[in-house]
Amino acid sequence: MSLPETFISCDWGTSNFRLRVIHTDTLSVIKEYSSSQGVKEVYQNYTDQDQLDKSSYYAKFLEEKLMSIVDLNQPHIVVASGMVSSSMGMYELDYTSTPFSAEGNDILSKRISISNNVQMLITSGVKQGDDVMRGEEVQALGLAKYLQDVDKGVLLLPGTHSKHLQFEANIFHQFDTFMTGEMFDMLTKHSILSNSVKKGPFDENNRSAFKEGVRKAVAEGLSKNLFKVRAKALLDNRDSTESFYYLSGLLIGDELSYLKEKQDKVCIAASGMLNQLYQLALAEVIEDKDRLVFFKEDILEKALLIGQKKILEKQYECV
Amino acid sequence: MSLPETFISCDWGTSNFRLRVIHTDTLSVIKEYSSSQGVKEVYQNYTDQDQLDKSSYYAKFLEEKLMSIVDLNQPHIVVASGMVSSSMGMYELDYTSTPFSAEGNDILSKRISISNNVQMLITSGVKQGDDVMRGEEVQALGLAKYLQDVDKGVLLLPGTHSKHLQFEANIFHQFDTFMTGEMFDMLTKHSILSNSVKKGPFDENNRSAFKEGVRKAVAEGLSKNLFKVRAKALLDNRDSTESFYYLSGLLIGDELSYLKEKQDKVCIAASGMLNQLYQLALAEVIEDKDRLVFFKEDILEKALLIGQKKILEKQYECV
């Protein structure tokens, strides 16, 4: 059975929701709808009512949003990844276990009828003994295409919960989660350091402060250096924006420090500010520049679509 | 000039305030008043009014509290340490620089008249190039008495911001701050881990979970293991109280891990639950038990009074 001409990509995280009508062949985006109505908010709204069961409630929500970008009198298939398959999401799927193939064969998916015309493919997350992810595995499937020349290494997906995926010969065999983004958010908002740091433009001074933070974390670790962010502000009146980037450097440096001693290639896919910061940090941590593979900004964006298309293809192969 | 028969110990932190009438000779507590009116709250209240200047506002506050435990028609001397000498406190004193003698000679103090009958000695904090403390240095002066047999080592004062003070031959020459207590508080309240952890009694199971956390942090560091607290809860349904103590073990283990490779003695003074946890953790981290010196619970309580008495003595020597 041949693939449909378009599919609808659904990226449904804890606090974000995005639908995109995708041209299957070229992966170009035809239409888009996005909002902050992540699984957390929708689940909360679902528990606040008692008329619909969970899957009906989510299906109604989805149909309402779909209406704004497609004609529901035509058939559609939605490929959904992220927290939508968690216990708070639309339909809970168990995790696939590591290792998983970059071809997408191992990722579980579940087909659900939303209405006569709308079918949905929900994909599972991945677990290993002591870690879990939901969503990043589909990005990883998409990025695999660009990893073929690398053969063996670690793929970094920075974010609120950064993921480091070890891969070899097209197999992702192990991964770790680092709470770097969430820690930074907490420390700048809820800790004693919040008085010493202030977001600001990333100029040359702040760049140096960031790199200093990275080097400090790699040399001495995080825990001895965290409070010194405040001490420096008190004693040296260090500029609060410099302190902001110094703290960011400490946290990202701490996340990356274990890579210093390895021999593997390190590939990284991120966009915007995160991309800039992680590329700078990796250049500080890893001396041998041949070990570094930086993906272009738009590749991560595309990776999710490539990954979702792989899931879709497996489904059509089986039919 | 001889010391007064009694003095008033004032321990004024960010979020606590305590006055105790102390018998100077025996250091026994005659009367006590305490509240949560730390410097943070009092400073806020001061800025919300415009009738009194800062030192008058603090003096009035102090007099009102003193009234409840002493007769203000008699002369009194208050020895105050903690955040009271910070910019938010009653009277800002600059930090003393490291090194500082355990005899108390280096700690700055400022004598202030609160009223005709009430004099106050405010003590400064201590700084080095990249770290600061206010309050713990007075505890350290008090503990020095018990460190005489040790000669060289590191003194641990666990808490919201744990301090590790390096000492040798009665001189404190360097220190570090670890945000362990604050991090634990933030992670259990404001992070994604908050759903996976729950405070509960410290039974045998939780003891094992705590020790496992310590070992894990020492072996692999904190950042790779933090998110696994959630993963374990999701995948193995690990009991949330076990996870609470496992997380505590990770954080304390991370704080202590650098001590593993040193040869110095490690002395620790804490009370209550913290004392129990740090003693357990140190026993996991440090193989050579001869390196460990655990102080009895009541010694820390006494240390502040001994330290404040030292400050008082210096003042009377100078008069």
Side-chain angles (χ1 to χ4, degrees):
Chain A
M1 204 172 139
S2 66
L3 286 173
E5 198 181 314
T6 62
F7 72 94
I8 295 162
S9 160
C10 172
D11 180 9
W12 209 339
T14 304
S15 50
N16 66 289
F17 171 77
R18 186 161 61 158
L19 291 175
R20 287 180 291 179
V21 184
I22 304 299
H23 187 263
T24 310
D25 193 26
T26 62
L27 292 181
S28 59
V29 179
I30 299 165
K31 261 190 176 171
E32 176 162 354
Y33 169 91
S34 70
S35 81
S36 61
Q37 290 164 298
V39 159
K40 198 172 169 184
E41 184 179 324
V42 178
Y43 184 75
Q44 186 58 54
N45 295 342
Y46 152 66
T47 56
D48 288 349
Q49 58 88 51
D50 52 12
Q51 284 158 355
L52 297 174
D53 62 38
K54 196 167 75 165
S55 47
S56 307
Y57 187 87
Y58 274 81
K60 184 165 167 277
F61 174 90
L62 192 66
E63 266 204 305
E64 283 170 13
K65 307 304 171 192
L66 281 171
M67 250 186 285
S68 67
I69 51 168
V70 290
D71 174 5
L72 290 185
N73 294 315
Q74 301 292 319
H76 299 285
I77 182 143
V78 180
V79 186
S81 54
M83 294 303 280
V84 59
S85 64
S86 74
S87 60
M88 281 201 311
M90 187 167 187
Y91 188 95
E92 187 175 4
L93 286 181
D94 199 5
Y95 300 92
T96 299
S97 293
T98 50
F100 65 100
S101 152
E103 297 310 314
N105 308 11
D106 305 309
I107 304 295
L108 300 174
S109 62
K110 167 85 186 171
R111 195 168 182 136
I112 301 173
S113 286
I114 301 295
S115 65
N116 282 344
N117 279 328
V118 180
Q119 297 288 301
M120 188 170 185
L121 264 185
I122 296 184
T123 61
S124 71
V126 176
K127 69 173 174 184
Q128 63 193 15
D130 56 3
D131 215 330
V132 292
M133 59 180 158
R134 280 199 196 272
E136 294 89 347
E137 71 288 348
V138 182
Q139 292 181 320
L141 295 188
L143 286 163
K145 178 182 163 188
Y146 307 96
L147 296 174
Q148 280 168 349
D149 298 338
V150 178
D151 186 50
K152 186 183 173 194
V154 52
L155 171 64
L156 269 48
L157 301 169
T160 307
H161 298 151
S162 292
K163 303 288 178 186
H164 292 201
L165 295 92
Q166 314 285 336
F167 63 90
E168 185 166 3
N170 235 17
I171 303 283
F172 294 100
H173 53 85
Q174 202 254 322
F175 67 94
D176 288 291
T177 303
F178 296 79
M179 287 174 60
T180 309
E182 184 170 0
M183 291 274 278
F184 185 68
D185 196 58
M186 274 195 309
L187 286 164
T188 52
K189 286 183 185 151
H190 298 298
S191 84
I192 195 167
L193 305 183
S194 63
N195 297 319
S196 312
V197 300
K198 196 175 151 198
K199 195 173 177 171
F202 193 49
D203 62 20
E204 210 36 63
N205 267 352
N206 301 334
R207 227 175 142 83
S208 303
F210 175 79
K211 292 200 277 187
E212 189 195 332
V214 172
R215 285 193 299 269
K216 204 83 180 164
V218 172
E220 300 173 7
L222 181 65
S223 55
K224 254 194 184 180
N225 283 296
L226 217 39
F227 187 77
K228 296 189 186 354
V229 173
R230 176 172 160 80
K232 282 274 191 192
L234 285 173
L235 298 177
D236 304 342
N237 279 318
R238 177 146 68 178
D239 176 80
S240 54
T241 303
E242 268 179 57
S243 293
F244 180 89
Y245 287 103
Y246 178 75
L247 175 61
S248 172
L250 279 180
L251 287 165
I252 293 175
D254 184 55
E255 173 186 334
L256 302 176
S257 59
Y258 82 99
L259 295 166
K260 192 179 171 70
E261 306 307 329
K262 302 228 164 192
Q263 298 306 318
D264 297 350
K265 295 250 181 188
V266 178
C267 310
I268 182 160
S271 57
M273 194 63 204
L274 270 190
N275 194 32
Q276 229 183 112
L277 295 176
Y278 273 80
Q279 292 202 9
L280 261 181
L282 281 168
E284 287 296 315
V285 176
I286 293 173
E287 276 177 47
D288 175 7
K289 300 302 173 249
D290 292 340
R291 283 178 57 203
L292 295 174
V293 180
F294 297 135
F295 290 124
K296 281 191 192 143
E297 289 236 357
D298 60 339
I299 281 188
L300 185 64
E301 191 74 350
K302 257 223 162 106
L304 180 70
L305 301 179
I306 300 174
Q308 289 183 327
K309 185 177 168 181
K310 277 188 181 175
I311 304 279
L312 189 64
E313 283 167 341
K314 297 294 154 196
Q315 187 71 16
Y316 277 75
E317 277 169 17
C318 303
V319 174
Chain B
M1 206 171 140
S2 66
L3 287 172
E5 199 180 314
T6 62
F7 72 93
I8 296 162
S9 159
C10 173
D11 178 11
W12 209 339
T14 304
S15 49
N16 65 288
F17 171 77
R18 185 161 63 158
L19 292 173
R20 287 179 291 178
V21 184
I22 304 298
H23 187 262
T24 311
D25 194 26
T26 61
L27 293 181
S28 60
V29 179
I30 299 165
K31 261 191 176 170
E32 176 163 355
Y33 169 91
S34 70
S35 79
S36 61
Q37 290 165 298
V39 159
K40 197 172 170 184
E41 183 179 326
V42 178
Y43 184 73
Q44 185 60 55
N45 294 343
Y46 152 67
T47 54
D48 288 349
Q49 58 90 51
D50 53 11
Q51 283 158 355
L52 298 175
D53 62 38
K54 195 166 73 165
S55 48
S56 307
Y57 188 87
Y58 273 81
K60 184 165 167 277
F61 174 90
L62 193 65
E63 267 205 301
E64 282 170 11
K65 308 305 170 192
L66 282 169
M67 250 188 281
S68 67
I69 52 168
V70 290
D71 174 5
L72 290 184
N73 294 315
Q74 301 291 319
H76 298 285
I77 182 140
V78 180
V79 185
S81 54
M83 295 301 281
V84 59
S85 65
S86 73
S87 59
M88 283 202 311
M90 187 166 186
Y91 188 96
E92 187 174 4
L93 286 181
D94 198 6
Y95 299 92
T96 299
S97 294
T98 49
F100 66 101
S101 152
E103 296 310 314
N105 307 9
D106 305 310
I107 303 295
L108 301 173
S109 62
K110 168 85 184 169
R111 193 168 182 136
I112 301 173
S113 286
I114 301 294
S115 66
N116 283 345
N117 278 329
V118 180
Q119 298 288 302
M120 189 169 183
L121 265 185
I122 295 186
T123 62
S124 71
V126 176
K127 69 173 175 184
Q128 64 193 14
D130 57 3
D131 215 329
V132 292
M133 61 179 156
R134 281 201 196 270
E136 294 89 348
E137 71 288 348
V138 182
Q139 292 181 320
L141 295 187
L143 286 163
K145 178 182 161 186
Y146 306 96
L147 297 173
Q148 280 167 350
D149 298 338
V150 177
D151 187 50
K152 186 183 176 196
V154 51
L155 172 64
L156 269 49
L157 300 171
T160 306
H161 298 151
S162 291
K163 303 288 178 185
H164 291 201
L165 295 94
Q166 313 285 337
F167 64 89
E168 185 167 3
N170 236 15
I171 304 281
F172 294 100
H173 53 85
Q174 202 254 321
F175 67 95
D176 288 292
T177 302
F178 297 80
M179 288 174 60
T180 310
E182 185 170 356
M183 291 274 278
F184 184 68
D185 197 57
M186 274 196 309
L187 287 165
T188 52
K189 286 183 185 150
H190 298 298
S191 84
I192 195 169
L193 305 184
S194 64
N195 297 319
S196 313
V197 300
K198 197 175 151 198
K199 195 173 176 172
F202 193 49
D203 62 20
E204 209 37 62
N205 266 352
N206 301 334
R207 227 175 142 84
S208 303
F210 175 79
K211 290 200 278 187
E212 189 194 331
V214 172
R215 286 193 299 268
K216 204 85 179 165
V218 172
E220 302 173 4
L222 182 64
S223 55
K224 254 194 185 181
N225 283 295
L226 217 39
F227 187 77
K228 297 191 186 352
V229 173
R230 176 174 160 82
K232 282 274 191 191
L234 286 174
L235 299 177
D236 304 342
N237 278 317
R238 177 145 70 178
D239 175 79
S240 54
T241 303
E242 268 180 57
S243 293
F244 180 89
Y245 286 104
Y246 178 75
L247 175 61
S248 172
L250 280 180
L251 288 164
I252 293 176
D254 183 55
E255 173 186 335
L256 302 176
S257 59
Y258 82 98
L259 295 167
K260 192 179 172 71
E261 306 307 330
K262 303 230 163 190
Q263 298 306 317
D264 297 349
K265 295 248 181 189
V266 178
C267 311
I268 183 162
S271 56
M273 194 63 202
L274 270 190
N275 195 33
Q276 229 183 114
L277 295 176
Y278 273 80
Q279 291 203 9
L280 261 182
L282 281 168
E284 287 295 316
V285 176
I286 294 173
E287 275 177 48
D288 175 7
K289 300 301 173 252
D290 291 341
R291 284 178 56 204
L292 295 174
V293 181
F294 298 136
F295 290 123
K296 283 191 191 143
E297 290 236 353
D298 60 338
I299 280 187
L300 184 64
E301 191 72 353
K302 259 226 161 105
L304 180 70
L305 301 178
I306 299 174
Q308 289 183 325
K309 186 177 167 182
K310 277 188 179 175
I311 305 280
L312 189 65
E313 282 168 342
K314 296 294 155 198
Q315 187 70 18
Y316 276 75
E317 275 169 17
C318 303
V319 176

